């Protein structure tokens, strides 16, 4: 389990602030332009821009929060944009998960012409061109390829010298999402894009590329395929275990933490001890004010309550998606008082210092708490 393994950001603070503020926290109706089968259990969908004129431009690596009514229930999920900004379309990929209500709906029922709701693109897991050439290394597993694909395309198209190395883990060849697109990138950028597929259930003739991406493989790959001293940034997306072990190994081999960026698609639940300790430090009863679109909602909450859930119970239409400390949709700033997060896998260090919290994971630790979703 991570102990507040915070994200880092490649962008300067001014640009990060601009990215975070771009999403307006509201849903907008969009129509599905195309649904394309990528693998047996994954599709990508292209969305038309909303007709209300809201800015849906994005940076490589950002995500959309989608909402649909499925069987009479409102369901929200966040999915990364899998194309680069210069490609001129808005496409996300959705892998069907066993028992996943939203992913099953998208894979089996959604079709071109259907309407769905989406927030504007947002997220900190981004890449933007710098004044010097980049050598970006992507570490992805399964559907974790989606934001990494957007970043890889953007890096390669940014100039004539930037390079990308991709380590991509899957079960077998048939489960590789965007296999044809990855092959096209290899053919287009013969000298600047290198990809190494790691398969857990298919023999490729070498032990280096069989199994799962972990610390041992990260060490071998760093010694065999890349020069860590020349890598400008590592982008990791996939299961928590992969991110934790690979990040730790890269740091132990001399990579600065500021050059390691990650995005989780799922997390482990916090331990009972961690949750209990946070609840013990929380206020017995807190008077809370939530600010959204300039309007205030007032309510009381107890030590076991999370700010987001208490706000929703009080009738505030606050933004959220994963409720798992991953997507950052419920991000808000503490204006008065204090709060403590049980988990944080989305906010960068500077945001935490500035007073931002993930409301889905935060207990009030002062008798009075004021948080704003407008900041």
């Amino acid at each position: 389990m991570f102990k507040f393994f915070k994200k880092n950001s490649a962008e300067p603070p001014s640009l990060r602030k601009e990215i975070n503020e771009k999403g307006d926290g509201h849903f907008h109706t969009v129509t599905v332009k195309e649904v394309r089968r990528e693998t047996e259990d994954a599709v990508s969908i292209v969305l038309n821009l909303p007709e209300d004129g809201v800015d849906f431009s994005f940076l490589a690596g950002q995500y959309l929060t989608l909402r649909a009514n499925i069987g009479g229930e409102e369901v929200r999920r966040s999915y990364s944009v899998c194309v680069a900004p210069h490609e001129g379309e808005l496409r996300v990929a959705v892998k069907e998960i066993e028992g996943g209500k939203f992913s099953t709906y998208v894979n089996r029922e959604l079709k071109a012409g259907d309407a769905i709701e989406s927030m504007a693109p947002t997220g900190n897991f981004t890449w933007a061109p710098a004044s010097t050439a980049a050598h970006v290394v992507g570490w992805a597993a399964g559907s974790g390829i989606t934001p990494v694909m957007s970043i890889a395309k953007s890096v390669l198209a940014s100039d004539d010298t930037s390079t990308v190395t991709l380590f991509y883990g899957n079960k077998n060849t048939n489960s590789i999402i965007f296999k044809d697109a990855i092959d096209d990138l290899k053919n287009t950028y013969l000298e600047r894009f290198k990809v190494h597929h790691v398969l857990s259930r298919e023999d490729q003739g070498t032990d280096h590329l069989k199994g799962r991406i972990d610390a041992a493989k990260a060490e071998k790959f760093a010694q065999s395929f890349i020069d860590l001293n020349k890598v400008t940034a590592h982008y990791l997306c996939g299961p928590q275990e992969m991110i934790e072990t690979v990040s730790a190994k890269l740091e132990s081999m001399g990579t600065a933490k500021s050059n390691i960026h990650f995005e989780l698609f799922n997390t482990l639940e916090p331990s009972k001890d961690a949750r209990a300790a946070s609840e013990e430090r929380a206020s017995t009863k807190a008077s809370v004010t939530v600010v959204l679109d300039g309007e205030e909602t007032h309510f009381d909450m107890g030590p076991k309550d999370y700010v987001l859930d208490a706000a929703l119970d009080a009738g505030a239409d606050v933004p959220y998606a994963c409720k798992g400390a991953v997507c950052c949709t419920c991000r808000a700033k503490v204006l008065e008082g204090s709060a403590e997060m049980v988990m944080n896998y989305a906010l960068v260090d500077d945001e935490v210092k500035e007073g931002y919290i993930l409301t889905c994971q935060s207990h009030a630790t002062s008798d009075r708490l004021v948080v704003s979703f407008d900041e």
Side-chain angles (χ1 to χ4, degrees):
M1 168 64 70
F2 289 167
K3 293 185 178 179
F4 295 100
F5 185 84
K6 297 184 180 69
K7 294 180 65 174
N8 301 294
S9 175
E11 284 73 44
S14 60
L15 181 54
R16 287 205 304 274
K17 188 170 187 291
E18 177 184 333
I19 295 166
N20 290 332
E21 289 182 346
K22 234 168 65 65
D24 62 0
H26 297 285
F27 284 98
H28 307 271
T29 300
V30 294
T31 56
V32 177
K33 182 178 181 180
E34 177 193 9
V35 178
R36 184 170 72 196
R37 177 61 55 184
E38 300 288 349
T39 65
E40 186 179 62
D41 60 355
V43 297
S44 65
I45 59 176
V46 179
L47 301 173
N48 291 309
L49 296 180
E51 297 181 358
D52 55 12
V54 174
D55 182 14
F56 262 58
S57 59
F58 62 93
L59 290 177
Q62 292 192 304
Y63 65 86
L64 300 176
T65 296
L66 304 179
R67 180 172 72 178
N69 187 294
I70 304 172
E73 177 186 356
E74 178 190 295
V75 185
R76 308 179 183 201
R77 294 292 185 272
S78 295
Y79 296 103
S80 296
V81 179
C82 57
V83 290
H86 69 269
E87 293 185 273
E89 68 175 6
L90 192 64
R91 183 186 293 270
V92 298
V94 181
K95 183 176 181 178
E96 184 173 344
I97 300 171
E98 185 177 356
K101 187 167 290 188
F102 201 99
S103 64
T104 300
Y105 164 73
V106 171
N107 272 265
R108 301 187 186 186
E109 298 182 35
L110 195 68
K111 60 185 184 301
D114 286 350
I116 199 169
E117 292 182 293
S118 175
M119 289 185 184
T122 189
N124 288 324
F125 186 70
T126 58
W127 180 87
S131 58
T132 57
H135 178 195
V136 169
V137 177
W139 306 81
S143 56
I145 189 62
T146 50
V148 176
M149 192 68 172
S150 175
I151 290 169
K153 288 181 175 181
S154 298
V155 172
L156 294 169
S158 65
D159 56 54
D160 294 331
T161 56
S162 290
T163 59
V164 174
T165 302
L166 172 63
F167 301 105
Y168 184 21
N170 283 283
K171 294 178 181 178
N172 51 48
T173 301
N174 291 335
S175 65
I176 297 175
I177 302 174
F178 307 136
K179 184 179 183 303
D180 290 342
I182 291 172
D183 288 341
D184 288 343
L185 281 183
K186 286 197 301 181
N187 293 332
T188 303
Y189 304 100
L190 290 173
E191 301 299 322
R192 296 197 289 123
F193 178 61
K194 305 297 181 183
V195 58
H196 304 277
H197 291 289
V198 182
L199 305 178
S200 62
R201 300 182 185 178
E202 185 176 315
D203 190 352
Q204 300 184 80
T206 171
D207 290 340
H208 282 2
L209 299 178
K210 186 173 183 180
R212 299 178 184 274
I213 298 176
D214 55 16
K217 281 192 166 45
E219 183 173 16
K220 289 180 181 178
F221 294 162
Q223 294 169 344
S224 303
F225 301 122
I226 56 179
D227 183 347
L228 286 179
N229 294 321
K230 295 182 179 180
V231 176
T232 54
H234 295 266
Y235 285 87
L236 297 79
C237 190
Q240 180 172 338
E241 183 178 4
M242 182 198 81
I243 290 174
E244 182 180 27
T245 57
V246 172
S247 295
K249 176 54 66 175
L250 292 174
E251 282 195 64
S252 73
M253 297 179 73
T255 299
K257 186 177 179 180
S258 59
N259 285 341
I260 301 173
H261 317 281
F262 74 90
E263 184 157 87
L264 291 165
F265 275 5
N266 51 65
T267 62
L268 301 176
E269 286 291 322
S271 68
K272 291 182 179 180
D273 290 343
R275 190 185 296 275
S278 180
E279 292 173 358
E280 185 176 340
R281 289 187 290 270
S283 297
T284 303
K285 183 179 180 180
S287 175
V288 182
T289 298
V290 165
V291 182
L292 177 65
D293 295 335
E295 297 184 359
E296 296 183 354
T297 301
H298 305 276
F299 54 90
D300 293 332
M301 59 180 284
K304 293 186 177 182
D305 296 332
Y306 290 114
V307 173
L308 176 67
D309 292 333
L312 291 170
D313 289 343
D317 188 22
V318 291
Y320 71 92
C322 75
K323 287 191 176 183
V326 173
C327 74
C328 207
T329 306
C330 68
R331 170 184 177 272
K333 187 174 185 178
V334 175
L335 302 183
E336 182 180 336
S338 60
E340 177 179 309
M341 290 181 285
V342 179
M343 297 194 301
N344 170 32
Y345 302 109
L347 298 177
V348 299
D349 293 344
D350 287 347
E351 289 175 297
V352 176
K353 291 178 182 177
E354 292 170 6
Y356 288 97
I357 59 173
L358 300 175
T359 56
C360 73
Q361 294 293 319
S362 296
H363 298 297
T365 53
S366 58
D367 293 337
R368 175 166 168 73
L369 176 66
V370 179
V371 299
S372 174
F373 288 84
D374 296 342
E375 296 295 317

